[in-house]
Amino acid sequence: MDIVVKEELKAYIDPLTPDEHDALERSILAEGCRDALVLWGEVLVDGHNRYGICQKHGLPFQTIQNTRFQSMDDVHLWMIEQHLGRRSVSDFQRGVLALRKRDILAERHRADQAQLQKESDGEISGPADAGDEDSPPWAAAPKVSRADMAREARLSSSQVTMIERIHKQAAPELVEAVKTGVISISAAAAVADLPEDEQRAAAAAGKDELKQAAKRVRESKRKPRKPAQEVLHSADGDTEIDPSRAAEIADALNALGEGPGELRQRIIALTLENDTLRQQLAALRKQVQDSEMADA
């Protein structure tokens, strides 16, 4: 059987590095091609590197058919799930794969909703028309939350957010710098906020300039931090508190260092609220004691 290699599928997953490819080639030459290539009909789905090495050296290989595929999206989802579980895939690559999966499932969910709307409007007669070409040939697609997506990719939600920003906004040179480990995901997400020509210039200048560009972006977004006493007085408003307590809270705020102003004000408000509740509790206890003494 002739095996068909589709370049779109071959490029769907980031290629091996030269060192990884050389290691795979040495393994196959020493031990043969141990894992079967996965096909969908004649189309090669998984095993492009192994297939190329075997063809190059005239080595035999096994194939297996995946009969569950009904569309190219099914193929893509299967490929994504296979690679999300591999330890050799970087954090950035896992994030990109998780975003691709989300987009496929979101499109399927929209198709499901459109079909349900047609059924509701009487345009089609419902599930009985299983052979209708407008009927999605797949199970109902679940809505995927950002937390679910992050968990499957073994990332935090904030990492997924940064990877999505890079995926949408970054120049190709910046994306390549992330893939090759020249720059971290968080730094690349910051640089991605710059105009594309500035991203390209920073990437061309190398690692140090990329770091400096990320630093400049972060500093431009950082609001000046008010002195602790000023934040304290702006937070307490008309509330009267003991001066020694004010100093205590101010010391705590200073210990926070460069924390966001909103967080600092929230800490003040919660601390003062806690003080008020303690005072109210003490007053209630005194009332109870006075009442008990009067009854006695």
Side-chain angles (χ1 to χ4, degrees):
M1 180 181 71
D2 293 332
I3 292 178
V4 176
V5 176
K6 287 186 173 291
E7 290 302 318
E8 179 255 338
L9 287 181
K10 186 177 180 180
Y12 195 70
I13 305 296
D14 284 345
L16 298 178
T17 65
D19 287 345
E20 290 170 339
H21 189 277
D22 289 346
L24 177 62
E25 186 170 23
R26 288 194 299 271
S27 174
I28 290 176
L29 288 174
E31 304 176 13
C33 186
R34 294 177 298 176
D35 298 323
L37 312 183
V38 179
L39 304 177
W40 178 34
E42 296 181 345
V43 176
L44 179 60
V45 173
D46 185 58
H48 290 88
N49 293 298
R50 284 172 278 141
Y51 177 67
I53 292 169
C54 289
Q55 289 290 92
K56 175 182 176 181
H57 297 284
L59 299 174
F61 54 85
Q62 301 294 319
T63 63
I64 185 172
Q65 287 284 342
N66 191 318
T67 58
R68 293 180 299 166
F69 298 148
Q70 299 183 54
S71 68
M72 190 57 73
D73 277 349
D74 286 342
V75 173
H76 288 159
L77 287 173
W78 184 88
M79 293 175 71
I80 288 169
E81 289 168 1
Q82 292 297 306
H83 283 78
L84 280 176
R86 294 180 180 175
R87 288 178 294 178
S88 59
V89 180
S90 70
D91 288 350
F92 180 75
Q93 290 172 323
R94 287 201 305 275
V96 170
L97 292 174
L99 291 170
R100 288 178 180 173
K101 180 176 181 178
R102 179 202 62 183
D103 291 344
I104 292 172
L105 293 179
E107 184 57 39
R108 287 191 169 184
H109 184 74
R110 284 192 289 270
D112 291 341
Q113 296 304 307
Q115 169 129 337
L116 289 173
Q117 187 62 49
K118 288 182 179 180
E119 294 173 7
S120 177
D121 295 342
E123 296 180 22
I124 55 178
S125 56
D129 292 340
D132 193 310
E133 63 180 8
D134 290 332
S135 300
W138 53 72
K143 293 192 72 173
V144 180
S145 69
R146 186 176 297 275
D148 291 337
M149 184 170 55
R151 186 163 46 251
E152 184 174 10
R154 304 197 303 280
L155 301 168
S156 67
S157 293
S158 61
Q159 283 178 306
V160 172
T161 300
M162 290 187 289
I163 291 170
E164 185 171 19
R165 189 189 311 167
I166 296 168
H167 191 56
K168 289 180 177 179
Q169 300 174 201
E173 293 86 350
L174 180 57
V175 172
E176 186 62 26
V178 184
K179 287 181 177 180
T180 55
V182 172
I183 188 173
S184 68
I185 291 172
S186 61
V191 177
D193 284 340
L194 293 172
E196 186 171 337
D197 58 339
E198 293 185 30
Q199 295 181 39
R200 293 178 186 274
K207 181 176 183 178
D208 290 341
E209 178 55 30
L210 281 169
K211 287 185 176 180
Q212 289 301 314
K215 183 178 179 181
R216 289 194 296 271
V217 172
R218 289 166 177 157
E219 288 178 346
S220 69
K221 293 181 178 180
R222 184 178 297 159
K223 296 180 180 179
R225 182 167 60 91
K226 296 180 181 180
Q229 290 289 350
E230 184 180 342
V231 174
L232 177 64
H233 292 312
S234 67
D236 67 6
D238 296 330
T239 304
E240 293 184 3
I241 56 176
D242 183 82
S244 63
R245 185 60 173 153
E248 182 183 355
I249 300 174
D251 289 341
L253 285 174
N254 282 324
L256 289 175
E258 293 293 337
E262 295 83 356
L263 175 59
R264 296 160 68 83
Q265 293 190 25
R266 182 62 177 157
I267 291 172
I268 294 171
L270 290 173
T271 304
L272 298 178
E273 181 181 349
N274 186 53
D275 287 348
T276 301
L277 291 174
R278 287 175 180 273
Q279 293 170 6
Q280 291 175 351
L281 180 59
L284 287 172
R285 283 175 175 168
K286 188 175 185 307
Q287 289 178 10
V288 171
Q289 290 174 352
D290 291 345
S291 176
E292 291 176 344
M293 291 176 63
D295 292 340

